[in-house]
Amino acid sequence: QQQVKQSPQSLIVQKGGISIINCAYENTAFDYFPWYQQFPGKGPALLIAIRPDVSEKKEGRFTISFNKSAKQFSLHIMDSQPGDSATYFCAASTSGTYKYIFGTGTRLKVLA
Amino acid sequence: SQTIHQWPATLVQPVGSPLSLECTVEGTSNPNLYWYRQAAGRGLQLLFYSVGIGQISSEVPQNLSASRPQDRQFILSSKKLLLSDSGFYLCAWSYQASTEAFFGQGTRLTVV
């Protein structure tokens, strides 16, 4: 019940295309859903996050879509660029528990 | 502004040797501190977290231990490394009342 399932494991997208990464969870106590971007050899950096009181959050080319009833959330990268090539992790946490449950990551490659 | 320092960046250690990884946070007081491990092709696994000096919670029983001797210092240790301890170790911090975590640059540990 503590797992966050992330798919796909890897993704190749043409420059200018849309990258979509999906995550699903079981624990309905989760109330914070961040996405992290990680470049090789570096620590993850927070990209965008959402709480379950909204169904969508957009920041620039990055959008989180959240479906509370299906217990799923996804990251959409519009107009994907080669510089977006990285590993993306979804995560979930419950306020006051001090810990994230991470997905297994998606390695995105955007072709020039 | 707040910064997190983690060192060393890479480390190669023989089996059975001790380990000490250090993490410090600047620019904030009384942060929550975390140690995560990232195995190849897998997500991030929370190892330890701390909400204050001397307060350590362990998430996964293992060959490692953590200590917080000062407010903004978090140390990951082992008395005798195993081959299975190899991985990418990440330190992170968050504000006390926040679920948003900020990661360090990581330490690549290879046990040979």
Side-chain angles (χ1 to χ4, degrees):
Chain A
Q1 193 178 16
Q2 285 290 338
Q3 283 187 325
V4 176
K5 296 182 179 180
Q6 183 173 346
S7 62
Q9 189 174 13
S10 63
L11 181 61
I12 299 175
V13 174
Q14 292 288 337
K15 179 182 177 181
I18 302 174
S19 304
I20 302 174
I21 304 171
N22 302 298
C23 284
Y25 64 97
E26 290 294 326
N27 188 350
T28 55
F30 289 146
D31 59 5
Y32 180 70
F33 302 90
W35 284 91
Y36 280 81
Q37 179 188 56
Q38 184 181 29
F39 293 104
K42 303 296 185 183
L46 179 66
L47 191 61
I48 188 173
I50 197 168
R51 292 193 179 274
D53 53 342
V54 297
S55 60
E56 186 176 280
K57 183 174 181 179
K58 184 176 181 179
E59 291 185 1
R61 296 184 294 109
F62 301 92
T63 300
I64 297 180
S65 296
F66 186 81
N67 185 328
K68 188 174 181 178
S69 61
K71 291 183 283 187
Q72 296 175 347
F73 58 109
S74 60
L75 176 69
H76 296 236
I77 306 175
M78 312 299 287
D79 187 25
S80 298
Q81 300 296 312
D84 297 330
S85 297
T87 299
Y88 292 82
F89 291 95
C90 64
S93 70
T94 304
S95 298
T97 62
Y98 309 113
K99 53 188 177 183
Y100 289 169
I101 306 298
F102 280 88
T104 51
T106 297
R107 184 172 293 183
L108 171 66
K109 185 173 183 177
V110 181
L111 302 176
Chain B
S1 63
Q2 299 80 22
T3 55
I4 179 169
H5 301 281
Q6 188 180 341
W7 67 92
T10 59
L11 189 60
V12 179
Q13 291 283 98
V15 169
S17 64
L19 172 74
S20 180
L21 302 181
E22 189 165 343
C23 171
T24 59
V25 179
E26 296 179 357
T28 187
S29 297
N30 199 27
N32 293 332
L33 296 172
Y34 311 83
W35 278 110
Y36 283 86
R37 177 168 59 198
Q38 184 176 20
R42 301 180 64 182
L44 290 82
Q45 180 185 38
L46 179 63
L47 302 176
F48 301 95
Y49 69 92
S50 171
V51 300
I53 295 175
Q55 300 178 62
I56 309 294
S57 295
S58 174
E59 288 295 302
V60 182
Q62 59 207 318
N63 186 42
L64 301 168
S65 63
S67 61
R68 184 171 178 173
Q70 300 181 44
D71 180 45
R72 291 170 290 177
Q73 183 185 30
F74 206 23
I75 297 173
L76 184 69
S77 304
S78 174
K79 292 182 178 178
K80 289 185 178 182
L81 283 169
L82 306 172
L83 287 174
S84 58
D85 292 325
S86 294
F88 192 48
Y89 289 84
L90 290 155
C91 181
W93 73 274
S94 69
Y95 291 106
Q96 279 286 334
S98 172
T99 49
E100 182 176 343
F102 302 91
F103 286 84
Q105 294 300 292
T107 295
R108 173 74 60 193
L109 171 66
T110 303
V111 182
V112 296

